[in-house]
Amino acid sequence: MNVYYLQLLILIGINIIMASSLNLVIGYTGQLSLGHAAFMSLGAYTSALATLRLGLPFGAALLIGAVVAALFGIVIGLPTLQLKGDYLAIATLGFGEIVRIVFLNLDITGGAVGLRGIPKETDFLWVICLVLITGFALNRIIHSRVGRALLAIREDETAAESMGINSTYYKTLCFGVGAFFAGIGGGLFAHWFRYIHPNTFGFLNSIEYLCMVVLGGLGNMWGAVIGAGLLTIIPELLRQIADLRLLIYGIVLIIMMRVRPQGILGQSQGKSTHTLSQYYKQILGKIKNR
């Protein structure tokens, strides 16, 4: 396969993992996070150091990077998920900047120079397998009891808690799972490009993944796949007109949000609310019957 197209496919796969994991946090739980790229950087640096310094196999390094990202997701999620809306977004944004500055000032991560010489272990087979595993795992979560609890929290957290759902537990669990798969995406990224820098995982990268989720449709896994694919391919198609590339890119996003604000595959807000309201009525009916 042509190297350019191979790299494009691998980037699409990594972005699918990132967008799908963020969709679990934003689309299914309703928690606006702007620090997803920070978890990606934790997975990237941890897995890269595990292979570069410790000589661990690629699979083990990926797993360690994902676990470290998940642990940080849980630790950060416990205090920040008490916040809601804009306050949560600002808190996660601050966490992302803290991680970036820390990596900029650590010698082991290469500091401002970046980390070089990472073994090139990522290939098309690894990416395809991990995309499928990510999709399968997230799909199982969404269609389980945990997924129904996350949807209830998204629609009305107060009503969910009144029905006995521990919102703090489920939101933290969701945050940890999303960070775990973001760490996997970071490990794949680091072992493909063989060089990473703290600025590679800045605020704009988190916004880019958010755009993928919103464009594809919040609360739809196939929407995250389509959004990641489109927002990876469109900038590449516009490379020949470099002067107007960002302008056209922005216009496409604005038109899309005006024509279909819920995203390509997203449900309308009214339909989603109606479905969850019926769900609560059924539960209340069962309680009254007892």
Side-chain angles (χ1 to χ4, degrees), residues 45 49 53 100-116 195-199:
Y45 274 100
L49 290 172
R53 307 275 194 241
R100 187 179 67 85
I101 296 300
V102 168
F103 284 149
L104 274 173
N105 290 277
L106 286 178
D107 292 332
I108 194 173
T109 61
V113 178
L115 191 61
R116 303 175 182 271
Y195 169 78
I196 50 177
H197 190 277
N199 292 337

Side-chain angles (χ1 to χ4, degrees), residues 75-97:
V75 170
I76 298 301
L78 283 172
T80 58
L81 289 174
Q82 303 297 324
L83 305 172
K84 297 180 181 179
D86 299 339
Y87 300 103
L88 175 61
I90 293 171
T92 53
L93 172 61
F95 165 70
E97 288 302 300

Side-chain angles (χ1 to χ4, degrees), residues 27 154-156 218 261-262 266-276:
R154 180 192 70 181
E155 295 299 328
D156 195 326
L218 290 169
Q262 69 269 31
Q267 293 181 342
S268 63
Q269 187 66 28
K271 184 177 180 180
S272 175
T273 305
H274 177 68
T275 302
L276 267 294

Side-chain angles (χ1 to χ4, degrees), residues 30-234:
Q31 308 302 306
L32 181 56
S33 172
L34 296 180
H36 209 56
F39 299 119
M40 184 183 185
S41 69
L42 287 166
Y45 274 100
T46 303
S47 62
L49 290 172
T51 54
L52 189 61
R53 307 275 194 241
L54 302 178
L56 294 179
F58 179 50
L62 272 182
L63 182 60
I64 292 173
V67 170
V68 169
L71 289 175
F72 272 90
I74 293 171
V75 170
I76 298 301
L78 283 172
T80 58
L81 289 174
Q82 303 297 324
L83 305 172
K84 297 180 181 179
D86 299 339
Y87 300 103
L88 175 61
I90 293 171
T92 53
L93 172 61
F95 165 70
E97 288 302 300
I98 290 172
V99 171
R100 187 179 67 85
I101 296 300
V102 168
F103 284 149
L104 274 173
N105 290 277
L106 286 178
D107 292 332
I108 194 173
T109 61
V113 178
L115 191 61
R116 303 175 182 271
I118 303 169
K120 190 167 185 176
E121 301 285 352
T122 301
D123 57 23
F124 186 67
L125 181 60
W126 269 105
V127 173
I128 288 296
C129 290
L130 288 172
V131 166
L132 294 176
I133 290 172
T134 301
F136 175 78
L138 294 178
N139 186 65
R140 292 290 295 173
I141 292 172
I142 292 164
H143 291 92
S144 67
R145 177 175 58 86
V146 174
R148 291 191 291 272
L150 296 179
L151 288 174
I153 293 170
R154 180 192 70 181
E155 295 299 328
D156 195 326
E157 187 172 341
T158 303
E161 289 183 342
S162 69
M163 302 307 299
I165 295 175
N166 188 339
S167 62
T168 301
Y169 168 78
Y170 283 108
K171 287 193 296 183
T172 305
L173 177 64
C174 168
F175 220 64
V177 172
F180 178 88
F181 287 107
I184 289 180
L188 292 172
F189 183 91
H191 287 85
W192 172 254
F193 289 100
R194 304 187 63 198
Y195 169 78
I196 50 177
H197 190 277
N199 292 337
T200 307
F201 311 100
F203 165 67
L204 292 179
N205 294 89
S206 294
I207 295 297
E208 185 177 4
Y209 297 131
L210 176 62
C211 289
M212 292 176 185
V213 174
V214 174
L215 179 65
L218 290 169
N220 191 302
M221 278 300 167
W222 284 111
V225 173
I226 293 174
L230 286 177
L231 292 190
T232 307
I233 293 173
I234 290 175

